[in-house]
Amino acid sequence: MLKNLLYIPLSVLYRCGVAIRHAMYDRHLLPSFSVDVPTICVGNLAVGGTGKTPMTAYILQLLLANGYRPAFLSRGYKRSTRGFRMADSYATVETIGDEAMQLHRAFPEVPVVVCENRVRGVRQLMRQVDGLDVIVLDDAMQHRAIRCGLNILLTTYDRLYIDDHMLPWGTLRDLPVRALKADAVVVTKCPDTIQPIDMRVVDNRLHLPTYQRLHFAGTAYAPMEQEGIPLVLCGIAHPHYMMNYVQTRYPQAQLMAFPDHHHYTRKDIDAIMERSKHFDFVLTTEKDIQRLRTTTLVERLQAQGKRLIALPIRVSFLSPKEDFDRQILTYVRENRKHQ
């Protein structure tokens, strides 16, 4: 309680700073640009853990399946490089970041670009790649220098943005009122047991304006056939979602958690190897394995006859997915340059 009381004044100051920044954009004191190609933003108001990467992957797959040529742009969080970089056969976690690397491996046919300046990134991407139908931007709702054509806001079922507080008291990095700028709100990480009445409760609580679409999505993990007991290794914002699922298959599994986007050091690998002695294999996320591939963990586990396995995660819509798909495809169809 005392800690929260100390955070409240800092949260108020942070809110004021964010509000001033938005006011400068609203009054055109800071420039904002739109680009000559459909742009879809997948974002949130909170710090991490809402499922942006699986949702981005879902949208990219949807666009590809319907004959469009999409590209993906993010800032490349925690990469060691600066400026504009396009993923190629030499790309690594260090050069483009773990999330971009994950999507580059999953969709090698999709141009994947990182650039901390979103406007510059989009413009340079369009100069280098011909025939793009749409650009999907990760985590760009707060980056108002670029005006996206379709904004998808994600918020988790167990911590809706209306129940949260601004940093550092809560996890919000943007004003709750900014949710009004979204074209669709997706409540993510819903339990499989959610009922229609639960969705109506959330709908009533969010009280979205009529121009916004509300969707509900859960998390689908790939079936696990590996025998034995795993050590679950995570460097993500909210590992309990994955852990809860793993323990339905492996009740004796244990978690070894690191901070989100953690850079695994030699000391970390030594600690993981020591802990893994008591388990039959190591289970991790698709995001973590991008970073772990650059370490000696895989080889050291193999020397002990053990495996490092990534658990694939996918979006599973609990409200009609056709409604969400239609919103995405209609926007792209009506706004792409070359019809």
Side-chain angles (χ1 to χ4, degrees), residues 63-333:
L63 293 168
L64 289 169
N66 283 272
Y68 293 112
R69 190 181 187 196
F72 170 74
L73 171 66
S74 77
R75 61 172 170 161
Y77 185 62
K78 284 201 171 183
R79 61 186 171 122
S80 60
T81 58
R82 300 281 298 173
F84 179 95
R85 295 188 72 96
M86 182 176 292
D88 55 21
S89 59
Y90 300 102
T92 65
V93 170
E94 285 73 24
T95 60
I96 65 173
D98 52 10
E99 292 169 344
M101 193 68 198
Q102 178 182 337
L103 291 170
H104 175 53
R105 288 182 181 274
F107 303 100
E109 70 274 42
V110 172
V112 171
V113 166
V114 294
C115 188
E116 57 272 17
N117 185 313
R118 306 303 173 96
V119 176
R120 184 182 304 141
V122 167
R123 288 175 173 172
Q124 193 162 340
L125 173 60
M126 292 174 64
R127 285 195 297 268
Q128 293 192 16
V129 181
D130 294 328
L132 287 179
D133 293 309
V134 54
I135 299 175
V136 181
L137 295 95
D138 169 68
D139 206 15
M141 287 197 68
Q142 286 74 41
H143 298 271
R144 292 191 58 187
I146 186 166
R147 295 193 296 268
C148 289
L150 187 70
N151 288 287
I152 311 297
L153 173 65
L154 309 185
T155 184
T156 58
Y157 179 79
D158 59 359
R159 192 164 192 173
L160 301 170
Y161 62 83
I162 58 173
D163 298 325
D164 208 343
H165 302 284
M166 298 292 287
L167 290 169
W169 184 15
T171 67
L172 292 182
R173 56 180 169 169
D174 208 348
L175 306 174
V177 70
R178 291 293 301 168
L180 295 174
K181 300 300 180 181
D183 300 285
V185 175
V186 183
V187 180
T188 61
K189 302 189 176 180
C190 296
D192 294 337
T193 56
I194 191 171
Q195 299 297 315
I197 190 171
D198 302 317
M199 297 183 187
R200 286 197 295 272
V201 169
V202 173
D203 191 357
N204 291 334
R205 294 197 62 224
L206 292 178
H207 195 60
L208 301 181
T210 56
Y211 64 84
Q212 289 184 323
R213 310 277 183 84
L214 179 62
H215 309 277
F216 292 85
T219 300
Y221 293 98
M224 293 180 291
E225 304 299 333
Q226 183 75 20
E227 296 298 326
I229 301 173
L231 171 65
V232 180
L233 177 61
C234 289
I236 56 178
H238 303 294
H240 64 277
Y241 292 107
M242 177 180 176
M243 194 62 189
N244 290 342
Y245 171 76
V246 171
Q247 288 187 322
T248 64
R249 173 70 173 82
Y250 305 101
Q252 294 177 294
Q254 293 185 21
L255 174 66
M256 189 173 186
F258 291 86
D260 196 16
H261 296 280
H262 183 67
H263 174 74
Y264 291 96
T265 65
R266 183 174 180 177
K267 184 178 179 181
D268 294 329
I269 300 305
D270 289 341
I272 294 167
M273 288 302 302
E274 181 64 29
R275 185 84 177 272
S276 69
K277 291 179 180 178
H278 309 289
F279 298 90
D280 300 298
F281 63 99
V282 177
L283 189 66
T284 191
T285 69
E286 290 180 296
K287 185 170 73 171
D288 282 291
I289 204 168
Q290 310 305 322
R291 298 190 298 276
L292 291 168
R293 284 192 177 111
T294 66
T295 71
T296 60
L297 182 62
V298 174
E299 291 79 7
R300 292 177 66 178
L301 285 172
Q302 287 176 344
Q304 294 186 359
K306 297 179 181 179
R307 298 176 61 196
L308 175 66
I309 301 174
L311 179 60
I313 178 176
R314 300 291 181 264
V315 171
S316 174
F317 276 92
L318 303 172
S319 54
K321 67 180 290 293
E322 294 78 12
D323 293 344
F324 182 82
D325 294 356
R326 188 180 305 111
Q327 186 173 10
I328 298 292
L329 297 174
T330 299
Y331 163 73
V332 176
R333 183 179 65 252

